[in-house]
Amino acid sequence: MGRYAVLVSGPAGSGKSTFCSALITHAQSIGRNVHLFNLDPAAERFEFQPSIDIKELISLEDVMEELKLGPNGGLIYCFEYLLDNLDWLDEELGQYDDDYIIIDCPGQIELYTHFPIMSRLVTLLSRTYNFKICATYLLESQFMDDKTKYFAGVLSAMSAMINLEVPHLNILSKMDLVERGETGEEAKAGRRREMERYLDPDPLLLAGEVNAKTNPKFHSLNQALVQLIEDFSMVSFMPLDVTSEESVGSILSHIDNAIQYGEDEEPKEPKDMDGGDFQD
């Protein structure tokens, strides 16, 4: 039997928890056995009650109060504590076989881009607990209107891909808000055409737009970063509209392909193979 996990990561406010809820709703509608794993020790509200919750082990609020740490330092401590108490994780994960675990992560992007803590956890889930993992990285689609933020988002997505080293899907979230305020089909169609530039970004094209908004002394750095993105040619995005079941289903299908969902299932014999109802 297979064990599958989807890591939902990205900056704060990018819509991770909303995406988790949409995934769960859609997965349940097609008969999936799916569970939410809350990996954010500061999370307070959930649309679906987590089956596994890190706050049962440690909470960011308690750490900040008792150890006098700030939010970022406290979060790092929480994850180090988790990795030092694997008996809790072992007990929580042990009961899930042939299940789909959706892991809602914190919004501090340092955890995915350059700190080794999240990559250690991903390696642990993969090698020790035999989960097939796909990481998703959400970037808010409204960043398209601020080219410098979008540029930074592409860089952070690429850094997360390199750091986590698992099958990865980048997602432009909140697409239902992109056309909001546009009037008329022509205006909406123009907005959609503009959006397509950002799904498969051409960094060399974006460089000029970014340079137009930044100090000239940074232009050489911008060009070097753009060339880095171009050389790796790793980053592309899928659009996500959580109000559209087709959009959520399409992303789930890509996740399934990435983790080879269902390939470990035993083949089932067709009902008519015994020939009882077969007529020549």
Side-chain angles (χ1 to χ4, degrees):
M1 303 293 260
R3 309 182 87 188
Y4 308 94
V6 181
L7 197 75
V8 180
S9 62
S14 58
K16 295 185 296 298
S17 295
T18 303
F19 175 50
C20 288
S21 297
L23 270 183
I24 292 171
T25 300
H26 181 75
Q28 289 180 341
S29 72
I30 58 176
R32 295 275 181 90
N33 197 18
V34 62
H35 305 275
L36 177 64
F37 181 175
N38 172 46
L39 198 57
D40 185 354
E44 295 181 350
R45 297 182 181 87
F46 307 97
E47 184 173 341
F48 291 92
Q49 188 63 29
S51 300
I52 307 172
D53 191 349
I54 191 176
K55 292 185 71 175
E56 294 180 358
L57 175 69
I58 190 170
S59 77
L60 181 59
E61 183 180 2
D62 291 342
V63 168
M64 292 173 61
E65 181 178 345
E66 294 178 14
L67 300 180
K68 309 302 180 186
L69 293 172
N72 289 336
L75 190 63
I76 297 297
Y77 180 89
C78 288
F79 276 90
E80 289 177 342
Y81 188 84
L82 171 65
L83 293 172
D84 288 337
N85 290 270
L86 294 180
D87 53 338
W88 177 84
L89 187 63
D90 185 71
E91 182 178 351
E92 293 294 320
L93 291 174
Q95 58 184 311
Y96 298 109
D97 283 311
D98 199 27
D99 290 297
Y100 223 94
I101 307 294
I102 297 175
I103 306 175
D104 192 359
C105 299
Q108 281 76 359
I109 61 173
E110 311 95 277
L111 294 173
Y112 324 109
T113 57
H114 57 277
F115 275 114
I117 290 178
M118 192 63 72
S119 60
R120 285 171 57 196
L121 180 60
V122 167
T123 300
L124 183 73
L125 290 171
S126 175
R127 296 181 182 176
T128 303
Y129 297 106
N130 298 316
F131 277 93
K132 293 183 177 180
I133 303 173
C134 176
T136 61
Y137 190 88
L138 273 65
L139 186 68
E140 192 173 344
S141 60
Q142 295 179 83
F143 280 3
M144 293 186 303
D145 291 327
D146 188 329
K147 304 301 186 295
T148 54
K149 287 184 178 179
Y150 175 78
F151 186 53
V154 172
L155 284 171
S156 64
M158 186 175 73
S159 182
M161 294 173 74
I162 295 171
N163 191 41
L164 295 178
E165 296 184 316
V166 292
H168 196 106
L169 193 66
N170 295 308
I171 297 171
L172 272 182
S173 62
K174 304 184 181 181
M175 292 303 296
D176 50 306
L177 304 179
V178 168
E179 295 178 3
R180 185 171 293 180
E182 301 287 354
T183 56
E185 289 303 316
E186 185 175 344
K188 290 182 178 180
R191 184 63 166 157
R192 285 193 290 268
R193 284 194 298 271
E194 181 187 1
M195 175 196 72
E196 290 174 1
R197 293 180 58 203
Y198 300 91
L199 297 179
D200 191 9
D202 182 347
L204 299 177
L205 181 64
L206 291 171
E209 299 177 2
V210 173
N211 285 341
K213 294 187 176 183
T214 55
N215 191 302
K217 68 181 180 180
F218 294 120
H219 288 183
S220 295
L221 175 61
N222 290 342
Q223 187 61 40
L225 293 174
V226 160
Q227 193 60 53
L228 180 68
I229 296 172
E230 179 72 10
D231 290 344
F232 273 88
S233 190
M234 294 172 63
V235 181
S236 61
F237 292 91
M238 286 196 66
L240 169 65
D241 177 356
V242 293
T243 66
S244 166
E245 189 169 350
E246 181 181 356
S247 176
V248 176
S250 176
I251 288 178
L252 182 60
S253 176
H254 279 76
I255 293 171
D256 286 348
N257 288 336
I259 58 179
Q260 300 176 317
Y261 176 75
E263 292 192 8
D264 291 332
E265 293 183 4
E266 294 292 331
K268 296 179 180 179
E269 185 175 307
K271 292 181 179 179
D272 293 330
M273 285 294 289
D274 60 1
D277 296 327
F278 179 77
Q279 295 180 359
D280 194 334

Short mmCIF file of all heavy atoms in Angstrom, two decimals, residues 178-220:
data_model
loop_
_atom_site.label_atom_id
_atom_site.label_comp_id
_atom_site.label_asym_id
_atom_site.label_seq_id
_atom_site.Cartn_x
_atom_site.Cartn_y
_atom_site.Cartn_z
N VAL A 178 -7.96 37.81 -10.03
CA VAL A 178 -7.19 38.47 -11.09
C VAL A 178 -8.09 39.32 -11.98
O VAL A 178 -7.75 40.45 -12.34
CB VAL A 178 -6.44 37.42 -11.94
CG1 VAL A 178 -5.89 38.05 -13.20
CG2 VAL A 178 -5.31 36.83 -11.12
N GLU A 179 -9.25 38.79 -12.34
CA GLU A 179 -10.14 39.51 -13.25
C GLU A 179 -11.13 40.39 -12.52
O GLU A 179 -11.95 41.07 -13.14
CB GLU A 179 -10.89 38.52 -14.14
CG GLU A 179 -9.98 37.73 -15.07
CD GLU A 179 -10.75 36.72 -15.90
OE1 GLU A 179 -11.99 36.69 -15.77
OE2 GLU A 179 -10.13 35.98 -16.67
N ARG A 180 -11.08 40.37 -11.20
CA ARG A 180 -12.01 41.19 -10.44
C ARG A 180 -11.76 42.67 -10.74
O ARG A 180 -10.64 43.14 -10.73
CB ARG A 180 -11.86 40.94 -8.94
CG ARG A 180 -12.88 41.65 -8.09
CD ARG A 180 -12.80 41.19 -6.64
NE ARG A 180 -13.22 39.79 -6.52
CZ ARG A 180 -13.24 39.13 -5.36
NH1 ARG A 180 -12.87 39.72 -4.25
NH2 ARG A 180 -13.65 37.87 -5.33
N GLY A 181 -12.81 43.38 -11.01
CA GLY A 181 -12.68 44.80 -11.35
C GLY A 181 -12.65 45.05 -12.84
O GLY A 181 -12.87 46.18 -13.28
N GLU A 182 -12.36 44.00 -13.64
CA GLU A 182 -12.39 44.16 -15.09
C GLU A 182 -13.83 44.11 -15.57
O GLU A 182 -14.63 43.30 -15.11
CB GLU A 182 -11.58 43.05 -15.77
CG GLU A 182 -10.11 42.99 -15.34
CD GLU A 182 -9.30 44.12 -15.91
OE1 GLU A 182 -9.85 44.89 -16.73
OE2 GLU A 182 -8.12 44.25 -15.53
N THR A 183 -14.17 44.98 -16.52
CA THR A 183 -15.52 44.99 -17.07
C THR A 183 -15.44 44.68 -18.55
O THR A 183 -14.60 45.21 -19.28
CB THR A 183 -16.18 46.37 -16.87
OG1 THR A 183 -15.35 47.38 -17.45
CG2 THR A 183 -16.36 46.66 -15.38
N GLY A 184 -16.33 43.82 -19.00
CA GLY A 184 -16.36 43.46 -20.42
C GLY A 184 -15.49 42.27 -20.72
O GLY A 184 -14.44 42.06 -20.12
N GLU A 185 -15.92 41.46 -21.68
CA GLU A 185 -15.20 40.25 -22.04
C GLU A 185 -13.84 40.55 -22.66
O GLU A 185 -12.87 39.83 -22.45
CB GLU A 185 -16.05 39.42 -23.01
CG GLU A 185 -17.27 38.77 -22.38
CD GLU A 185 -16.88 37.88 -21.21
OE1 GLU A 185 -15.90 37.12 -21.32
OE2 GLU A 185 -17.56 37.95 -20.18
N GLU A 186 -13.74 41.65 -23.41
CA GLU A 186 -12.47 41.99 -24.05
C GLU A 186 -11.41 42.33 -23.01
O GLU A 186 -10.26 41.89 -23.11
CB GLU A 186 -12.66 43.17 -25.00
CG GLU A 186 -11.41 43.51 -25.79
CD GLU A 186 -11.65 44.60 -26.81
OE1 GLU A 186 -12.83 44.86 -27.12
OE2 GLU A 186 -10.66 45.16 -27.30
N ALA A 187 -11.82 43.09 -21.98
CA ALA A 187 -10.88 43.45 -20.92
C ALA A 187 -10.44 42.21 -20.15
O ALA A 187 -9.26 42.06 -19.80
CB ALA A 187 -11.52 44.47 -19.98
N LYS A 188 -11.37 41.31 -19.88
CA LYS A 188 -11.04 40.09 -19.15
C LYS A 188 -10.12 39.19 -19.99
O LYS A 188 -9.19 38.58 -19.46
CB LYS A 188 -12.31 39.33 -18.77
CG LYS A 188 -13.13 40.03 -17.70
CD LYS A 188 -14.36 39.22 -17.32
CE LYS A 188 -15.14 39.93 -16.22
NZ LYS A 188 -16.35 39.16 -15.82
N ALA A 189 -10.38 39.12 -21.29
CA ALA A 189 -9.53 38.31 -22.17
C ALA A 189 -8.12 38.88 -22.22
O ALA A 189 -7.13 38.14 -22.21
CB ALA A 189 -10.14 38.25 -23.57
N GLY A 190 -8.02 40.22 -22.25
CA GLY A 190 -6.70 40.85 -22.23
C GLY A 190 -5.96 40.56 -20.95
O GLY A 190 -4.74 40.33 -20.96
N ARG A 191 -6.69 40.55 -19.85
CA ARG A 191 -6.08 40.24 -18.55
C ARG A 191 -5.58 38.80 -18.53
O ARG A 191 -4.50 38.50 -18.01
CB ARG A 191 -7.10 40.47 -17.44
CG ARG A 191 -6.59 40.28 -16.04
CD ARG A 191 -5.51 41.27 -15.71
NE ARG A 191 -5.25 41.31 -14.29
CZ ARG A 191 -4.12 41.72 -13.76
NH1 ARG A 191 -3.13 42.12 -14.55
NH2 ARG A 191 -3.94 41.75 -12.46
N ARG A 192 -6.35 37.88 -19.13
CA ARG A 192 -5.94 36.48 -19.16
C ARG A 192 -4.68 36.31 -20.02
O ARG A 192 -3.80 35.52 -19.68
CB ARG A 192 -7.08 35.60 -19.68
CG ARG A 192 -8.20 35.37 -18.68
CD ARG A 192 -9.11 34.25 -19.15
NE ARG A 192 -9.89 34.67 -20.30
CZ ARG A 192 -11.10 35.22 -20.25
NH1 ARG A 192 -11.68 35.43 -19.07
NH2 ARG A 192 -11.75 35.56 -21.34
N ARG A 193 -4.61 37.02 -21.16
CA ARG A 193 -3.42 36.93 -22.02
C ARG A 193 -2.19 37.45 -21.29
O ARG A 193 -1.10 36.89 -21.40
CB ARG A 193 -3.65 37.71 -23.31
CG ARG A 193 -4.56 37.02 -24.31
CD ARG A 193 -4.46 37.67 -25.67
NE ARG A 193 -4.89 39.07 -25.64
CZ ARG A 193 -6.14 39.47 -25.83
NH1 ARG A 193 -7.10 38.57 -26.06
NH2 ARG A 193 -6.45 40.75 -25.78
N GLU A 194 -2.37 38.55 -20.56
CA GLU A 194 -1.26 39.09 -19.79
C GLU A 194 -0.80 38.09 -18.73
O GLU A 194 0.40 37.92 -18.48
CB GLU A 194 -1.68 40.41 -19.12
CG GLU A 194 -0.56 41.06 -18.31
CD GLU A 194 -1.06 42.26 -17.53
OE1 GLU A 194 -2.26 42.58 -17.61
OE2 GLU A 194 -0.23 42.87 -16.83
N MET A 195 -1.77 37.42 -18.11
CA MET A 195 -1.46 36.46 -17.06
C MET A 195 -0.59 35.32 -17.58
O MET A 195 0.28 34.81 -16.87
CB MET A 195 -2.77 35.90 -16.50
CG MET A 195 -2.63 34.80 -15.48
SD MET A 195 -4.19 33.94 -15.24
CE MET A 195 -4.31 33.01 -16.77
N GLU A 196 -0.81 34.91 -18.84
CA GLU A 196 -0.08 33.77 -19.39
C GLU A 196 1.43 34.02 -19.44
O GLU A 196 2.21 33.08 -19.42
CB GLU A 196 -0.61 33.45 -20.79
CG GLU A 196 -2.02 32.86 -20.77
CD GLU A 196 -2.59 32.68 -22.16
OE1 GLU A 196 -1.87 33.01 -23.14
OE2 GLU A 196 -3.74 32.22 -22.27
N ARG A 197 1.84 35.28 -19.48
CA ARG A 197 3.27 35.59 -19.47
C ARG A 197 3.92 35.11 -18.18
O ARG A 197 5.11 34.81 -18.15
CB ARG A 197 3.48 37.10 -19.57
CG ARG A 197 3.10 37.74 -20.86
CD ARG A 197 3.37 39.23 -20.78
NE ARG A 197 4.76 39.51 -20.48
CZ ARG A 197 5.20 40.64 -19.92
NH1 ARG A 197 4.35 41.57 -19.56
NH2 ARG A 197 6.48 40.83 -19.70
N TYR A 198 3.13 35.06 -17.12
CA TYR A 198 3.68 34.80 -15.79
C TYR A 198 3.59 33.32 -15.39
O TYR A 198 4.19 32.92 -14.42
CB TYR A 198 2.98 35.67 -14.76
CG TYR A 198 3.13 37.14 -15.05
CD1 TYR A 198 2.20 37.82 -15.82
CD2 TYR A 198 4.25 37.84 -14.60
CE1 TYR A 198 2.35 39.16 -16.11
CE2 TYR A 198 4.42 39.18 -14.90
CZ TYR A 198 3.46 39.84 -15.65
OH TYR A 198 3.64 41.16 -15.96
N LEU A 199 2.84 32.54 -16.16
CA LEU A 199 2.76 31.12 -15.85
C LEU A 199 4.04 30.40 -16.24
O LEU A 199 4.48 29.47 -15.56
CB LEU A 199 1.56 30.49 -16.57
CG LEU A 199 0.18 31.02 -16.15
CD1 LEU A 199 -0.91 30.33 -16.94
CD2 LEU A 199 -0.05 30.85 -14.65
N ASP A 200 4.63 30.83 -17.34
CA ASP A 200 5.93 30.29 -17.77
C ASP A 200 6.85 31.49 -17.97
O ASP A 200 7.06 31.96 -19.09
CB ASP A 200 5.78 29.50 -19.07
CG ASP A 200 7.04 28.71 -19.41
OD1 ASP A 200 7.95 28.65 -18.56
OD2 ASP A 200 7.11 28.17 -20.52
N PRO A 201 7.40 32.03 -16.89
CA PRO A 201 8.04 33.35 -16.94
C PRO A 201 9.28 33.38 -17.83
O PRO A 201 10.08 32.46 -17.84
CB PRO A 201 8.42 33.61 -15.47
CG PRO A 201 8.49 32.27 -14.83
CD PRO A 201 7.45 31.44 -15.54
N ASP A 202 9.36 34.47 -18.58
CA ASP A 202 10.55 34.75 -19.38
C ASP A 202 11.36 35.79 -18.59
O ASP A 202 11.07 36.98 -18.66
CB ASP A 202 10.16 35.30 -20.74
CG ASP A 202 11.37 35.57 -21.63
OD1 ASP A 202 12.50 35.56 -21.09
OD2 ASP A 202 11.18 35.78 -22.83
N PRO A 203 12.36 35.35 -17.82
CA PRO A 203 13.07 36.29 -16.95
C PRO A 203 13.78 37.40 -17.70
O PRO A 203 13.91 38.51 -17.21
CB PRO A 203 14.07 35.40 -16.20
CG PRO A 203 14.12 34.12 -16.93
CD PRO A 203 12.85 33.98 -17.69
N LEU A 204 14.24 37.11 -18.93
CA LEU A 204 14.93 38.14 -19.70
C LEU A 204 13.95 39.26 -20.08
O LEU A 204 14.32 40.44 -20.13
CB LEU A 204 15.56 37.54 -20.95
CG LEU A 204 16.62 36.45 -20.68
CD1 LEU A 204 17.13 35.87 -22.00
CD2 LEU A 204 17.78 37.02 -19.88
N LEU A 205 12.69 38.89 -20.34
CA LEU A 205 11.67 39.88 -20.65
C LEU A 205 11.31 40.70 -19.41
O LEU A 205 11.10 41.91 -19.49
CB LEU A 205 10.43 39.19 -21.21
CG LEU A 205 9.26 40.08 -21.62
CD1 LEU A 205 9.67 41.00 -22.77
CD2 LEU A 205 8.06 39.23 -22.03
N LEU A 206 11.27 40.04 -18.25
CA LEU A 206 10.90 40.72 -17.02
C LEU A 206 12.00 41.63 -16.50
O LEU A 206 11.74 42.56 -15.74
CB LEU A 206 10.55 39.69 -15.94
CG LEU A 206 9.26 38.90 -16.15
CD1 LEU A 206 9.17 37.78 -15.12
CD2 LEU A 206 8.06 39.81 -16.06
N ALA A 207 13.23 41.36 -16.89
CA ALA A 207 14.36 42.11 -16.36
C ALA A 207 14.21 43.61 -16.60
O ALA A 207 14.46 44.43 -15.72
CB ALA A 207 15.67 41.62 -16.96
N GLY A 208 13.78 43.98 -17.81
CA GLY A 208 13.62 45.39 -18.12
C GLY A 208 12.57 46.05 -17.25
O GLY A 208 12.74 47.19 -16.80
N GLU A 209 11.48 45.34 -16.98
CA GLU A 209 10.41 45.89 -16.15
C GLU A 209 10.86 46.04 -14.70
O GLU A 209 10.49 47.00 -14.02
CB GLU A 209 9.18 44.99 -16.25
CG GLU A 209 8.63 44.88 -17.66
CD GLU A 209 7.45 43.92 -17.75
OE1 GLU A 209 7.05 43.38 -16.71
OE2 GLU A 209 6.94 43.73 -18.87
N VAL A 210 11.65 45.09 -14.23
CA VAL A 210 12.17 45.18 -12.87
C VAL A 210 13.17 46.32 -12.75
O VAL A 210 13.14 47.10 -11.79
CB VAL A 210 12.81 43.84 -12.44
CG1 VAL A 210 13.50 43.98 -11.09
CG2 VAL A 210 11.76 42.74 -12.38
N ASN A 211 14.05 46.43 -13.73
CA ASN A 211 15.05 47.50 -13.70
C ASN A 211 14.42 48.89 -13.71
O ASN A 211 14.96 49.84 -13.15
CB ASN A 211 16.01 47.37 -14.89
CG ASN A 211 17.01 46.25 -14.71
OD1 ASN A 211 17.24 45.78 -13.59
ND2 ASN A 211 17.60 45.79 -15.80
N ALA A 212 13.25 49.00 -14.36
CA ALA A 212 12.57 50.29 -14.44
C ALA A 212 12.09 50.76 -13.06
O ALA A 212 11.84 51.95 -12.87
CB ALA A 212 11.39 50.20 -15.40
N LYS A 213 11.99 49.82 -12.10
CA LYS A 213 11.47 50.17 -10.78
C LYS A 213 12.53 50.09 -9.69
O LYS A 213 12.21 50.28 -8.52
CB LYS A 213 10.30 49.24 -10.41
CG LYS A 213 9.07 49.42 -11.29
CD LYS A 213 7.91 48.60 -10.76
CE LYS A 213 6.65 48.86 -11.59
NZ LYS A 213 5.49 48.12 -11.04
N THR A 214 13.75 49.79 -10.04
CA THR A 214 14.79 49.65 -9.03
C THR A 214 15.94 50.61 -9.31
O THR A 214 16.11 51.10 -10.43
CB THR A 214 15.33 48.21 -8.98
OG1 THR A 214 15.79 47.83 -10.29
CG2 THR A 214 14.26 47.23 -8.53
N ASN A 215 16.73 50.87 -8.28
CA ASN A 215 17.87 51.76 -8.38
C ASN A 215 18.87 51.22 -9.40
O ASN A 215 19.16 50.01 -9.41
CB ASN A 215 18.53 51.88 -7.00
CG ASN A 215 19.55 53.00 -6.95
OD1 ASN A 215 20.50 53.01 -7.71
ND2 ASN A 215 19.36 53.92 -6.02
N PRO A 216 19.42 52.09 -10.27
CA PRO A 216 20.37 51.61 -11.30
C PRO A 216 21.54 50.81 -10.75
O PRO A 216 22.08 49.95 -11.45
CB PRO A 216 20.84 52.91 -11.95
CG PRO A 216 19.69 53.85 -11.78
CD PRO A 216 19.11 53.52 -10.43
N LYS A 217 21.94 51.06 -9.50
CA LYS A 217 23.08 50.33 -8.97
C LYS A 217 22.77 48.85 -8.75
O LYS A 217 23.68 48.05 -8.55
CB LYS A 217 23.56 50.97 -7.66
CG LYS A 217 22.60 50.86 -6.49
CD LYS A 217 23.17 51.55 -5.25
CE LYS A 217 22.24 51.45 -4.06
NZ LYS A 217 22.79 52.14 -2.86
N PHE A 218 21.47 48.51 -8.80
CA PHE A 218 21.07 47.10 -8.64
C PHE A 218 20.85 46.41 -9.98
O PHE A 218 20.55 45.21 -10.01
CB PHE A 218 19.80 46.99 -7.80
CG PHE A 218 19.96 47.43 -6.38
CD1 PHE A 218 19.19 48.47 -5.88
CD2 PHE A 218 20.86 46.80 -5.54
CE1 PHE A 218 19.34 48.89 -4.57
CE2 PHE A 218 21.01 47.21 -4.23
CZ PHE A 218 20.25 48.27 -3.74
N HIS A 219 21.00 47.13 -11.09
CA HIS A 219 20.67 46.54 -12.39
C HIS A 219 21.58 45.36 -12.74
O HIS A 219 21.13 44.36 -13.29
CB HIS A 219 20.74 47.61 -13.48
CG HIS A 219 19.61 48.59 -13.42
ND1 HIS A 219 19.43 49.60 -14.34
CD2 HIS A 219 18.58 48.72 -12.52
CE1 HIS A 219 18.36 50.31 -14.01
NE2 HIS A 219 17.83 49.79 -12.92
N SER A 220 22.85 45.46 -12.40
CA SER A 220 23.77 44.36 -12.69
C SER A 220 23.40 43.12 -11.87
O SER A 220 23.46 41.98 -12.37
CB SER A 220 25.21 44.78 -12.39
OG SER A 220 25.64 45.80 -13.26
#
